[in-house]
Amino acid sequence: MIRVAVDALGGDRAPEEVVAGAADAASGEIQPILFGPAGLDTQGLELVVTTQAIGMDEKPAEAVKAKPDSSLVAACRAVGEDAADAVVSAGNTGAMLAACFLELRRLPGVARPAIAVVIPSERPSVLIDSGANADARPEHLVQFAYMGSVFAEEVLGTPSPEVRLLSIGEEPEKGNQLTLEAHDLLAAAEGLNFKGITASRRGRVGGLLIRPAARGMRSRLDPDTYGGAYLLGLRGLAVIAHGNSSRLAIANAIRLAARGVEHDVVGTLAQRLPERVLASARSESPRQAR
């Protein structure tokens, strides 16, 4: 039985849609545990009573520090204390990140955890980092590349996954200073199947193909379809769901968390990352090292 701690007060539609989604996800293999106020209608699910809530508009670090008994922080703490195997929240993303840093802590050598969004297709892709870091440095992007590569290989079953750098153009000399420096580091990184910045054939055709492509991607990128995104680089498993998640999205986010436990995402990264991550962390440019 996989125990998933669920922040019942997280998200624009909480708690009703969160509770309904958790109830839908409950099965013989998955046990959602709700964290929320006394008297909450849990539809038969276990409730851990909390006395505080973090709003979507609160300052993350301050809110986490001031509200240790909030549903979000308590759900993260449950994973850190081995009372749950994973945590899911559709609440304040910044607060979720801060709570995870505090309660779960980072894997050895990881400078910055990163949000990994899986984009389903014939060959699933992982978009990393998808919003956890606004000021990442080039060496952080190298760490993200290693984490995404290991995740794609071990969890998605993609042999020798290709690593590409998202930029404004396909030539190596295009992009801002961060992109340029990251490109050089990625190209020199050992053990990465780095392919640079390449536009697809369909992408080169231009505007005529944009609408059909967008229609085809709509259902795959709909947060209801996949549910959430993993926060990689932590000692515990966390899934961040979209703030406007419906019950379907919450149920899928909980199932996504359960799959991460089944695949031992945290253990796999802990085994595969240390040497590569530590090496990339030492690859700071002279300007950054000063």
Side-chain angles (χ1 to χ4, degrees), residues 196-249:
I197 312 166
T198 306
S200 68
R201 182 177 300 175
R202 169 174 272 195
R204 293 192 187 100
V205 173
L208 291 178
L209 292 178
I210 289 177
R211 288 186 179 179
R215 283 196 296 270
M217 290 291 288
R218 184 179 302 161
S219 64
R220 297 205 295 265
L221 297 179
D222 189 328
D224 280 8
T225 302
Y226 218 72
Y230 292 112
L231 183 57
L232 300 181
L234 298 169
R235 296 174 186 256
L237 188 67
V239 168
I240 298 176
H242 193 275
N244 195 35
S245 291
S246 66
R247 65 185 64 192
L248 174 60

Side-chain angles (χ1 to χ4, degrees), residues 46 158 182 223:
E46 179 182 346
T158 304

Side-chain angles (χ1 to χ4, degrees), residues 146-164:
Y146 279 124
M147 287 195 286
S149 182
V150 170
F151 179 83
E153 185 175 357
E154 297 290 342
V155 178
L156 301 181
T158 304
S160 187
E162 295 181 356
V163 175
R164 298 185 186 275

